[in-house]
Amino acid sequence: YVEACRSQKLEDFMRCTENALWFYGGVPRALVTDNLKSAVTKSSSYEPKVNEAFADFAEHYDTAVLPTRAYRPRDKAIVENAVRIVYTRVFAPLRNTTFHSVGEINRAILELLRAHNNVSFRGREYSRCSLFREVEVPELGPLPLKRYEIRSYAKGTVHKNSHIYLGRDKHYYSVPYRHIGKQVKIVYTDSFVEIYHRHERLAVHERKRQRYGYTTAAEHMPSHHRFVSEWSSEKFISWAAHIGENCKGYIIGILDKKQHPEQSYKSCMGILHLAKKVGDQRLDNACRRASDYGAYNYSMVERILKKGWDTLEDDPEDTSEVPDHDNIRGGNYYK
């Protein structure tokens, strides 16, 4: 099997290896790799250390990884000879051709590869393809139901709202509340996110890429915990209604903004407590101003009150007229 790829980086190396397995239609009992970093993080004649991600890939395909010894060409003599032949029959015919994409060159390689595999050995009536089907195919293990998804790794801490933050997507995922404050390991692929603590899987979620969004499992939140038994959406809405209609609508907006209302309880508590400092009327006006901005968070209400914008009739950031100043040149300057 031959394939062109952009690099020898881990993702490219695993994807090419995987494509080879699906090309063969089965999985061998072991994968014999060279000592490139994408496969081996530390070479050794006795116990080489296999790359963690590549080891996980091998486990998915139910096979083993047997790296060759460094500087021992005899460990891979058959492969070295096969590479030499491929250079002659596949690479050489394409060396003067211009391609505009990796897919385009791989389609050309595949045509030459099929011809190479079906050519009979010199002085024999069978080819590489027929020998493979007769001798090697019966020894191959079955392919899994789905292809391997490359895993990436990150670390995080379970926040007080029972969520961890995946910086790659700027997204939050829930974890059972009893693990609040713990350091966790995050394993993610293109389709799912797993959270582990000391090799115990705490949660698994479908991966979402909504920036600053929340993916929450209801059973992860402390629904029977004191945190929730004392605080509820109805309590905050009723509290806000006593301050004013604008404040009530703003609190409802905050609760609706989050997927799970418990994520907003602290924001609601902070906003409603501002009434003790500025009074109900000013807080109600500040909530109206913040609603006009479409900003539903504690920081915006606090900023409006601090700047005194709640007492202004017009938008405080509307500066349609430029004030007079000696340093302003005026339109005539550019004529």
Side-chain angles (χ1 to χ4, degrees), residues 37-313:
K37 288 293 184 182
S38 298
V40 181
T41 55
K42 184 178 181 180
S43 61
S44 170
S45 299
Y46 304 103
E47 290 186 352
K49 187 175 181 181
V50 178
N51 184 294
E52 182 181 5
F54 192 65
D56 188 63
F57 167 85
E59 184 177 352
H60 177 80
Y61 279 95
D62 194 22
T63 186
V65 180
L66 301 177
T68 59
R69 294 174 296 172
Y71 309 110
R72 294 293 188 274
R74 286 180 299 179
D75 286 3
K76 50 181 179 176
I78 296 177
V79 175
E80 296 289 356
N81 186 55
V83 169
R84 181 184 60 80
I85 296 173
V86 164
Y87 265 103
T88 302
R89 296 187 179 178
V90 178
F91 179 79
L94 301 176
R95 66 185 184 279
N96 295 322
T97 307
T98 301
F99 299 95
H100 298 91
S101 70
V102 175
E104 186 180 348
I105 190 173
N106 277 325
R107 285 190 291 272
I109 288 174
L110 187 59
E111 292 181 9
L112 293 173
L113 183 64
R114 286 171 177 165
H116 166 65
N117 285 332
N118 286 305
V119 171
S120 297
F121 286 103
R122 184 178 300 176
R124 292 178 174 81
E125 296 182 355
Y126 52 85
S127 64
R128 289 174 176 80
C129 187
S130 60
L131 190 63
F132 170 74
R133 290 174 179 170
E134 181 180 349
V135 177
E136 297 187 27
V137 168
E139 300 297 328
L140 295 177
L143 290 165
L145 296 177
K146 57 185 294 186
R147 284 177 172 257
Y148 177 77
E149 291 190 65
I150 295 175
R151 286 169 164 76
S152 299
Y153 302 88
K155 294 182 179 179
T157 302
V158 184
H159 297 174
K160 291 182 179 180
N161 63 353
S162 299
H163 287 73
I164 58 94
Y165 177 69
L166 180 59
R168 180 71 175 271
D169 300 330
K170 300 185 185 302
H171 194 88
Y172 295 87
Y173 295 91
S174 68
V175 176
Y177 72 91
R178 63 182 178 275
H179 300 290
I180 289 173
K182 292 182 179 178
Q183 297 285 332
V184 294
K185 180 180 181 180
I186 307 169
V187 181
Y188 60 96
T189 70
D190 286 338
S191 62
F192 65 86
V193 174
E194 294 177 304
I195 299 114
Y196 290 86
H197 176 67
R198 295 180 180 178
H199 307 292
E200 176 190 359
R201 191 171 78 173
L202 307 181
V204 58
H205 298 279
E206 181 183 353
R207 186 176 176 185
K208 301 291 181 64
R209 290 170 174 79
Q210 179 189 1
R211 290 167 64 89
Y212 305 110
Y214 282 80
T215 296
T216 306
E219 61 271 18
H220 291 167
M221 304 304 290
S223 299
H224 56 281
H225 196 261
R226 181 179 178 183
F227 179 79
V228 175
S229 64
E230 294 182 356
W231 291 0
S232 67
S233 300
E234 292 75 14
K235 176 178 178 178
F236 289 120
I237 294 172
S238 176
W239 185 354
H242 285 88
I243 295 174
E245 287 300 315
N246 292 315
C247 185
K248 177 183 177 181
Y250 192 72
I251 291 298
I252 292 174
I254 290 179
L255 294 169
D256 288 343
K257 180 183 175 183
K258 303 298 185 182
Q259 183 181 4
H260 201 290
E262 292 165 21
Q263 297 162 356
S264 304
Y265 286 171
K266 284 194 174 182
S267 295
C268 294
M269 179 66 77
I271 292 169
L272 295 172
H273 273 163
L274 289 172
K276 295 180 181 180
K277 296 181 179 180
V278 301
D280 292 353
Q281 187 59 52
R282 285 198 63 191
L283 179 57
D284 195 55
N285 290 341
C287 289
R288 177 181 59 82
R289 178 76 70 182
S291 296
D292 292 341
Y293 294 157
Y296 291 90
N297 56 70
Y298 169 82
S299 299
M300 177 55 71
V301 177
E302 184 185 41
R303 183 184 179 193
I304 291 172
L305 291 169
K306 185 177 180 179
K307 298 288 186 179
W309 294 346
D310 58 292
T311 61
L312 301 178
E313 293 296 329

